Amino acid sequence: MTRDDVQARTARGRRLADVLEGLGPAQWEAGTLCEGWTVRVLAGHLLQPMVVGFGRFLLASLRHRGDTAATVDSLARRLARPGPAELVALLRRHAGDRVDPPRVGPMGPFAETCVHLRDLARPLGLDADVPREDWVLLLDHLVSPGVAPGLMTPARAGGLTLRASDAGWRHGTGPAVSGTAEALAMALTGRRAALADLDGPGREVLARRL
């Protein structure tokens, strides 16, 4: 990620807004791959990096006694209170914002624009996706030493050969796990639903680690 990626960042944000704008009322209340979150709550969460500063997040965290998961859930539900049209408008307005959250850095929001799009699209049977090169960039980050534990722990991919069948991407040694770059990234970030799209003797090893 560099400072000159404003156009790509804006395109990803607008793509999310476009997908959400095309959903019907029942789809907004449908479940996602994020346990306990509807599409509407997930949309609220997608706004968090742009509209919730460090100070507000810290105060919310104190109310939840430092429980990050509970803090994030509470903020997502609060931000999801506006109607779908307003949520879409807010996401589109902030599509190009550059954010650099503590602990996860700019790759955190980048990962979310990729993964969360599929978190809602997969259960709804939608083919909405980000470009393949975004998944490759995310895979490079996930297997890097600097990946935030909130995205993936290094042990999850340890001792496995990961191969993206549609991108010529490969990492590691050991039993192989292969599939599309999207499926690999979704599985590595904890989405068990993506395991069905993976093959190889290392798939069961990865499944036990999720």
Side-chain angles (χ1 to χ4, degrees), residues 47 59 80 88 136:
L47 281 169
L59 288 175
V88 168
V136 173

Side-chain angles (χ1 to χ4, degrees), residues 20 23 25-46 73 76-77 80-81 84 87 116 119-121 123-124:
L20 288 167
L23 301 182
Q27 291 173 308
W28 273 86
E29 303 307 321
T32 69
L33 296 186
C34 298
E35 185 176 356
W37 281 6
T38 63
V39 170
R40 184 167 178 166
V41 174
L42 183 54
H45 173 67
L46 287 166
D73 181 76
R77 295 180 187 281
R81 288 174 182 171
L87 288 170
H116 285 329
D119 280 336
L120 67 91
L124 291 175

Side-chain angles (χ1 to χ4, degrees), residues 1-190:
M1 294 288 285
T2 62
R3 295 186 63 85
D4 64 352
D5 65 348
V6 176
Q7 188 173 8
R9 185 167 65 248
T10 302
R12 288 192 301 272
R14 287 177 176 171
R15 184 182 297 112
L16 271 165
D18 290 344
V19 171
L20 288 167
E21 189 172 38
L23 301 182
Q27 291 173 308
W28 273 86
E29 303 307 321
T32 69
L33 296 186
C34 298
E35 185 176 356
W37 281 6
T38 63
V39 170
R40 184 167 178 166
V41 174
L42 183 54
H45 173 67
L46 287 166
L47 281 169
Q48 181 187 311
M50 289 84 79
V51 302
V52 177
F54 177 74
R56 182 179 173 188
F57 187 90
L58 180 60
L59 288 175
S61 179
L62 291 174
R63 286 196 295 270
H64 292 280
R65 300 182 179 182
D67 187 328
T68 301
T71 302
V72 170
D73 181 76
S74 174
L75 288 170
R77 295 180 187 281
R78 181 170 299 182
L79 292 170
R81 288 174 182 171
E86 185 175 348
L87 288 170
V88 168
L90 286 168
L91 284 167
R92 189 166 281 128
R93 183 186 311 162
H94 292 283
D97 289 5
R98 179 178 174 84
V99 291
D100 190 359
R103 298 173 63 184
V104 297
M107 281 302 295
F110 171 83
E112 292 200 334
T113 60
C114 300
V115 174
H116 285 329
L117 174 59
R118 298 300 294 158
D119 280 336
L120 67 91
R122 274 175 166 261
L124 291 175
L126 303 177
D127 60 3
D129 204 346
V130 299
R132 188 181 306 156
E133 53 265 31
D134 285 0
W135 290 116
V136 173
L137 180 58
L138 179 55
L139 285 171
D140 283 339
H141 178 66
L142 292 176
V143 298
S144 71
V147 64
L151 283 177
M152 191 189 85
T153 59
R156 185 169 289 166
L160 295 173
T161 297
L162 306 173
R163 295 174 180 160
S165 57
D166 60 341
W169 182 90
R170 175 174 173 158
H171 173 81
T173 59
V177 184
S178 62
T180 64
E182 181 263 356
L184 278 175
M186 293 294 286
L188 290 173
T189 52

